[in-house]
Amino acid sequence: MILWVAFAIAAAAVIAAVARPMLATRVSSVDPQQADLAIYRDQLAEIDADLDRGLINPLEAESARVELARRLLKTTDASRQTGKASENDQDAATPSGPITPTQIAYATAAVIPLLTLAIYLNVGSPNLPGMPLSARMQTDPGKASVEQLIAKVEAQLRETPQDGRGWDAIAPVYLRIRRFKDAANAFSQAIRLEGETPKRLRGFAEATVMANNGIVAEPAKKAYARILSLQPGDSESRFWLALADEQEGKITAAGAAYRSLLAQAPDDAPWKRIVESRLKAMEGDSGDASNKVSQPQTEKQLSQPKLPGPTQQDIAAAQKLSKADQKAFINSMVDRLAGKLKDDPQDFEGWLRLVRAYTVLGRKEDASKALATARKNVDNDTTKQARLDALANELGLGT
């Protein structure tokens, strides 16, 4: 409260100091009578000079002096009358004269800060104490926002980085808000300090895969392998390890893993259709891959698959997974297809699938680039150019 009063006084002083020079009355320091006498002396000097040079005779000089004296007396009398009238007017106006600009300026300087202070005292909270960050961090968790809770835990972890429970608490939050690198680090710290559990390992693996745009890198593979050692037969871990083999070009191992997973899958498993479609794309079989489990493929068939990429069945089946798993799965397939097409740019059907997949994922710019590349590869084939035009028109990519 005292601080605000001090601010008001300081503001009034500043306004007064700034306004005073601009409104101060300028008073002339020159006396009119003295000015007239100075002119009279100069003119007398000029008359004497003309007489000495012979320009006028003594009679003319005396006549000029008399005329100057007459005009001086007349001017002096008029000045005296004007001065008396001004003094009388000033004396008469002093008791009840109008407010001067200076008085208005000083009144404004005092009223504005005081009025502001009065409004604040009426509608504000002058007695409410300040709340620094440390105090805000102590607010009721039930009323705090997610950002405040995260900031609170992060501040605590900076002070006590060996707090395994803190890392364990914030790791799934990071994952939920899509801070994947932070989530992977938090899960890693929780595992180091609190020990391995399937839940922590799964969170670390998922965060690592998402941070790598759907690629099942070595740290994620190790985490999934560790989950299998703790929970033998875990379907999710087996799927991601099979996908890792497929991404690395280990087609035989990936195919065997997919078939084994299908053989043991419950009928209502939400991921079953995804595995079927992946196996179908790898084997180049137009039939139902789940009926081929007992029919192993030759090494030649598995080593020369069609270019893999997400089919419409892949994308439809992925809708049953979590959003994180959907993104990781579909993006990994699309990126792998794009990589294969760089090695074999003449695969026309592969380009059609890639353009369509990019469009389904909302990656219109990538779809347009892939379409342009496909056009260059079939520049002299009018039939394929027509198919590309039809696809572009269907997907709204232009012609």
Side-chain angles (χ1 to χ4, degrees):
M1 179 63 184
I2 296 177
L3 180 62
W4 292 108
V5 174
F7 283 162
I9 295 173
V14 170
I15 295 175
V18 172
R20 183 174 181 180
M22 294 184 292
L23 297 174
T25 303
R26 297 181 179 275
V27 180
S28 176
S29 60
V30 180
D31 187 352
Q33 292 184 7
Q34 295 296 327
D36 291 340
L37 288 175
I39 295 173
Y40 174 69
R41 294 191 189 97
D42 290 340
Q43 290 178 341
L44 285 178
E46 290 180 4
I47 293 173
D48 291 339
D50 291 341
L51 179 61
D52 292 340
R53 290 195 297 270
L55 297 177
I56 58 176
N57 56 46
L59 184 60
E60 290 174 335
E62 185 62 27
S63 176
R65 291 190 188 97
V66 171
E67 178 62 23
L68 280 178
R70 186 185 64 80
R71 284 191 291 176
L72 178 61
L73 290 173
K74 183 178 180 180
T75 302
T76 302
D77 291 340
S79 298
R80 287 175 180 173
Q81 294 298 326
T82 303
K84 290 180 179 179
S86 299
E87 290 177 358
N88 294 333
D89 292 341
Q90 184 175 2
D91 292 341
T94 299
S96 60
I99 299 175
T100 64
T102 302
Q103 292 173 328
I104 295 175
Y106 285 131
T108 303
V111 169
I112 290 178
L114 293 177
L115 181 61
T116 303
L117 181 61
I119 294 174
Y120 173 71
L121 293 175
N122 185 43
V123 301
S125 300
N127 296 321
L128 185 66
M131 184 177 288
L133 178 61
S134 59
R136 293 196 298 270
M137 300 289 284
Q138 303 300 323
T139 56
D140 183 3
K143 299 180 181 178
S145 65
V146 174
E147 291 77 10
Q148 288 176 323
L149 293 175
I150 292 176
K152 181 177 180 179
V153 176
E154 289 176 337
Q156 194 172 20
L157 288 173
R158 282 193 293 269
E159 295 178 0
T160 57
Q162 300 303 312
D163 181 9
R165 295 179 61 186
W167 290 111
D168 199 29
I170 201 171
V173 179
Y174 280 146
L175 186 61
R176 187 161 56 250
I177 63 175
R178 307 180 70 81
R179 290 173 57 176
F180 299 123
K181 290 185 179 180
D182 291 333
N185 176 65
F187 276 117
S188 176
Q189 296 292 343
I191 291 171
R192 178 177 65 86
L193 296 169
E194 297 293 314
E196 291 181 343
T197 65
K199 181 179 179 181
R200 291 178 187 133
L201 290 166
R202 199 182 309 278
F204 169 77
E206 181 180 349
T208 303
V209 171
M210 295 303 296
N212 286 280
N213 298 317
I215 302 300
V216 187
E218 191 63 26
K221 288 176 59 179
K222 291 181 178 180
Y224 283 126
R226 182 57 181 160
I227 293 173
L228 283 177
S229 68
L230 298 174
Q231 294 181 337
D234 182 75
S235 299
E236 182 180 347
S237 299
R238 293 170 63 191
F239 169 76
W240 287 107
L241 289 173
L243 181 60
D245 287 337
E246 184 181 354
Q247 290 174 345
E248 294 174 2
K250 300 176 182 178
I251 305 302
T252 302
Y258 283 142
R259 288 193 298 274
S260 175
L261 195 57
L262 284 174
Q264 302 173 23
D267 292 338
D268 59 349
W271 43 263
K272 185 176 180 180
R273 290 185 60 187
I274 291 180
V275 178
E276 290 174 349
S277 63
R278 290 308 321 131
L279 190 59
K280 183 187 300 184
M282 288 175 56
E283 295 175 345
D285 190 347
S286 59
D288 188 349
S290 62
N291 296 327
K292 302 291 183 178
V293 172
S294 60
Q295 302 176 14
Q297 304 296 309
T298 65
E299 180 67 26
K300 183 176 180 181
Q301 287 175 311
L302 292 175
S303 62
Q304 297 178 347
K306 288 179 64 178
L307 290 177
T311 63
Q312 293 296 328
Q313 292 82 3
D314 291 338
I315 297 174
Q319 302 299 320
K320 297 182 179 181
L321 297 179
S322 67
K323 291 185 178 180
D325 288 345
Q326 288 178 31
K327 181 179 178 181
F329 175 77
I330 297 176
N331 279 322
S332 67
M333 295 300 97
V334 171
D335 292 340
R336 185 165 183 265
L337 175 59
K340 291 290 185 180
L341 287 173
K342 287 183 179 179
D343 298 332
D344 184 14
Q346 299 306 316
D347 184 79
F348 181 71
E349 297 297 329
W351 284 109
L352 294 178
R353 292 172 63 194
L354 182 63
V355 172
R356 188 178 295 278
Y358 277 146
T359 305
V360 171
L361 294 174
R363 297 165 61 176
K364 289 295 185 71
E365 184 177 352
D366 291 333
S368 299
K369 291 180 181 179
L371 182 64
T373 304
R375 291 185 191 280
K376 292 180 181 179
N377 293 332
V378 295
D379 189 37
N380 298 322
D381 192 324
T382 56
T383 301
K384 291 182 177 179
Q385 286 285 2
R387 290 185 64 188
L388 290 173
D389 291 340
L391 179 64
N393 184 62
E394 175 190 348
L395 300 179
L397 299 176
T399 57

